[in-house]
Amino acid sequence: MTVATVLLAVVVLALTTCLVASVVVSRRRAQADRAELARLAEENRALRERSEAAHATAELRSRMVAHVSHELRTPMQAIMSLLALLDDHGLPLEQRRQHLSTLRGSSEDLLLLIDGLVDTAQIEGKRPSLRADDFSPRATLEQLVDLLGPSAHKRGLELRAALAPDLPPRLRGDRLRLRQIVINLLGNSIKFTRQGHIELRASARVEADVAHLQVEVSDTGVGIGPEALGKLFREFARVGDPSVEGTGLGLSISKQLVEALGGRLEVDSDPGVGSTFRFQVRMPVLAAAPAEQAAEADTRPRVLVADDDHAGRELLVTALRRGGYAVDGVEDGAAAVASALARQYVAVILDVQLPELDGPGAARQIRAARGDVALIALTGHTEIDVLGRCKGAGIDAILIKPVKLETLRATIARVAAERMQAVDLAVIRGYVTADDPAFVPGLIDVYLREAERDLEAMQEAAAGQEIARVAQLAHRLKGSSAGFGARLLAERCQSLYAAARAEQPASDELAAVAREFARVKSALSVERTRLISS
């Protein structure tokens, strides 16, 4: 091997070594670069996540503030409305006390909201925690109409209620959340209605001691176009008139609360015509109110107003409520009958010219079943035949339009008091003489003894299908009862007499006679004792 060959081999080896070393260094440098890039990417990702988390926290804080603001406004609206009502210096003392009681309840609701407002589950979109209250759905909804009425009237709007007469008296569920939903819906309708009315409707279907409570809020407002309905229930969504104040949260919160109660909030709307929001929730029906809540029940005397003229009806309803009455309103005779037979009223006010079933027709059906309710007719007619039809239907008083509200209230008080009395004691006391103090107690003994005998004979005759005998005895008891001032018992006997003469089933009329006689017997026995001891 020559020297040149050896030198060439050495050079090649050196070059190969350098090349290998260069490749190794390059690979190590590339690995280091990749590691650095990965580190930088991880840092960038961490920075991005921290930035997104900070943004989400800020957004969550803003949403929480908006939720807090909106939910606090609900009871605050009630408190402000009640304060406005209490500012009326002419308000009767009893009604002022009722408003103060409601104000106390709204303040308690506000405290409950503050206690449970920062509910993480609710803020994160989960279901809010629910309470279980025993409450009257009718009283709760009527109270909301009273609360928001001033806000509606201030805008020249009519806020009215159409609550089904067969609403369950007591339910178990979250009363506070139900109030929030309805206040949100009513407030929303008031904001977006420029003229006309807002109506709160409620009905219930009861199955296996569970009420399917359906609530609707309708208005004659601006309405909502089809393109806006899809985003109506989104948070912070603003549809409709942009000049109307609001956060866009009311309907979103209402939707969440309805779903938390197991229902679904729906809407029908026509632009320029109005909107109807409705929801249905399920709540257990309670047979009776607990003793601790019985004292809180609405003890105001209740009046029913039946008039197809919306403006006239609402005027009467508002005036009577301010006079200390609890008031229901219906627009036709059939509804008046259904409501009067389902609820306990001290008086029913009937417009004579009602649709479906006129005032005298409705009065006749009510009087056939109820002798303790005062019936008052309102009419613009003074014809003898109209007045005669009213009297013949069992109407106690007829008032000619226009009637002063003071006259109406005085008539209700007078007639209701007369109807509540089993016996007009002035009649009995008119027989009292100083010469023979035992005379009237003796008369009472004779009347009660003969009336009990006639009642027993009527029951035996009815059991034996002796209809003519029932009619004869009913007619006799009617006469003697009227002579002793037992007007309601005399009317019950007249109804029994009429049914027997027509050969119609009269078991209900006979039972009514027996019930009323028990009241008469109790009243006369007390009066007899008083006369003997005086």
Side-chain angles (χ1 to χ4, degrees), residues 64 361 438 521:
M64 184 181 72
K521 180 178 179 180

Side-chain angles (χ1 to χ4, degrees), residues 114-326:
I114 292 172
D115 288 342
L117 202 51
V118 191
D119 186 337
T120 304
Q122 180 176 351
I123 295 299
E124 293 178 352
K126 299 177 183 178
R127 287 193 171 192
S129 57
L130 300 178
R131 295 164 48 85
D133 306 311
D134 298 346
F135 69 98
S136 162
R138 180 179 299 278
T140 298
L141 296 176
E142 285 180 344
Q143 186 184 76
L144 299 186
V145 173
D146 289 341
L147 288 176
L148 296 180
S151 298
H153 296 156
K154 193 174 182 180
R155 291 172 171 260
L157 304 173
E158 177 190 1
L159 177 58
R160 61 197 191 204
L163 309 182
D166 57 349
L167 279 178
R170 307 290 294 180
L171 295 177
R172 184 166 183 78
D174 197 324
R175 180 189 64 87
L176 177 60
R177 298 301 187 183
L178 180 65
R179 280 170 51 93
Q180 283 182 269
I181 295 165
V182 177
I183 288 178
N184 284 348
L185 296 181
L186 288 175
N188 192 70
S189 287
I190 291 172
K191 283 194 298 185
F192 287 96
T193 302
R194 295 189 180 93
Q195 60 182 2
H197 66 267
I198 297 98
E199 183 168 89
L200 172 63
R201 296 189 291 269
S203 59
R205 175 172 50 86
V206 178
E207 295 179 350
D209 295 330
V210 174
H212 299 257
L213 178 67
Q214 177 159 309
V215 180
E216 295 184 357
V217 174
S218 294
D219 62 56
T220 56
V222 297
I224 306 163
E227 69 285 350
L229 284 175
K231 62 178 182 179
L232 185 63
F233 297 115
R234 295 178 189 169
E235 288 184 344
F236 308 105
R238 299 291 307 279
V239 300
D241 188 348
S243 65
V244 177
E245 294 182 0
T247 62
L249 275 171
L251 293 178
S252 171
I253 291 176
S254 295
K255 179 176 180 291
Q256 293 178 35
L257 294 178
V258 169
E259 291 174 350
L261 293 174
R264 186 173 70 174
L265 182 59
E266 299 175 331
V267 59
D268 295 326
S269 187
D270 292 319
V273 177
S275 306
T276 297
F277 291 84
R278 69 175 60 85
F279 64 91
Q280 186 179 103
V281 293
R282 299 170 70 250
M283 293 183 177
V285 176
L286 297 180
E292 66 270 17
Q293 293 191 3
E296 299 178 6
D298 189 352
T299 58
R300 292 176 296 172
R302 185 168 293 276
V303 174
L304 176 66
V305 176
D307 195 332
D308 60 328
D309 176 19
H310 292 305
R313 184 175 71 244
E314 288 306 308
L315 175 63
L316 290 176
V317 167
T318 302
L320 291 173
R321 281 177 178 165
R322 289 184 176 178
Y325 291 99

Side-chain angles (χ1 to χ4, degrees), residues 78-122:
I79 291 171
M80 291 175 65
S81 298
L82 283 163
L83 290 173
L85 289 173
L86 288 168
D87 198 39
D88 181 359
H89 298 293
L91 204 63
L93 178 59
E94 183 59 30
Q95 194 166 3
R96 189 176 294 275
R97 287 173 177 167
Q98 291 163 4
H99 288 332
L100 284 171
S101 176
T102 307
L103 182 61
R104 187 180 302 110
S106 296
S107 301
E108 291 170 355
D109 288 347
L110 181 59
L111 181 60
L112 288 173
L113 271 179
I114 292 172
D115 288 342
L117 202 51
V118 191
D119 186 337
T120 304
Q122 180 176 351

Side-chain angles (χ1 to χ4, degrees), residues 306-492:
D307 195 332
D308 60 328
D309 176 19
H310 292 305
R313 184 175 71 244
E314 288 306 308
L315 175 63
L316 290 176
V317 167
T318 302
L320 291 173
R321 281 177 178 165
R322 289 184 176 178
Y325 291 99
V327 189
D328 296 332
V330 295
E331 61 183 11
D332 61 68
V337 173
S339 188
L341 299 187
R343 303 201 68 184
Q344 191 70 30
Y345 294 101
V346 298
V348 175
I349 301 169
L350 299 161
D351 185 72
V352 170
Q353 291 185 318
L354 290 172
E356 302 296 331
L357 181 66
D358 67 7
R364 187 171 289 104
Q365 293 188 23
I366 295 170
R367 183 61 74 219
R370 295 280 305 277
D372 57 341
V373 61
L375 298 180
I376 300 170
L378 296 181
T379 180
H381 299 282
T382 57
E383 291 86 351
I384 297 299
D385 61 332
V386 173
L387 303 182
R389 287 183 60 230
C390 290
K391 283 296 185 182
I395 289 175
D396 298 290
I398 305 168
L399 299 178
I400 307 299
K401 296 179 180 179
V403 59
K404 292 182 179 180
L405 295 177
E406 295 80 2
T407 302
L408 177 59
R409 292 171 182 166
T411 302
I412 292 173
R414 175 180 59 81
V415 178
E418 292 174 355
R419 279 282 162 186
M420 291 301 292
Q421 288 182 338
V423 175
D424 183 355
L425 296 178
V427 175
I428 298 296
R429 292 168 185 173
Y431 299 144
V432 175
T433 65
D435 296 337
D436 189 358
F439 175 66
V440 173
L443 280 180
I444 292 175
D445 286 338
V446 171
Y447 165 76
L448 291 178
R449 184 168 58 251
E450 292 183 351
E452 286 183 332
R453 183 193 62 200
D454 286 347
L455 182 58
E456 292 174 359
M458 274 190 284
Q459 292 169 337
E460 292 176 1
Q465 300 296 313
E466 300 177 47
I467 305 302
R469 176 66 173 161
V470 171
Q472 176 191 10
L473 293 167
H475 188 269
R476 185 166 71 186
L477 182 56
K478 169 194 169 184
S480 60
S481 299
F484 270 78
R487 189 179 69 162
L488 299 187
L489 179 55
E491 289 183 1
R492 297 276 64 101

